[in-house]
Amino acid sequence: MSRRLGDAAEARAAAYLAAHGYQIVERNFRAKVGEIDIIAKDGDTVVFVEVRSRSSAAFGLPQETVGAAKRRKLQLTAQLYVQARGLDCPMRFDVIAEGPEGLEHIEDAFGG
């Protein structure tokens, strides 16, 4: 997926989250180990959101592309974010998958 298409998918995901009561804290947090697309707050919980987009399901669903290696990178990057900000609060990892059927928000998609 091109960077431009990825940015557009992330913008739609951020708008979706905001419309559902999430506070967008940061977008595209980068560290040596990886990047987190969206960091949001859902009440007292910090939510690390991975956005995946596909125009077709011919090669699988977008959420299926968040494999074990990607999850590890997200977890390490989130740990660096929490340490850098001095946070001590609940957190979770969500996936927003955008496909031909629209957006699907998968809360607590994998453990942290």
Side-chain angles (χ1 to χ4, degrees), residues 48-69:
F48 300 99
V49 183
E50 176 67 9
V51 179
R52 293 298 178 135
S53 181
R54 288 215 167 149
S55 58
S56 164
F59 297 103
L61 299 172
Q63 60 267 35
E64 293 173 338
T65 65
V66 184

Side-chain angles (χ1 to χ4, degrees), residues 72-83:
R72 276 192 300 278
K73 281 185 174 186
L74 289 167
Q75 290 164 332
L76 287 171
T77 306
Q79 184 177 26
L80 292 171
Y81 177 85
V82 166
Q83 289 172 346

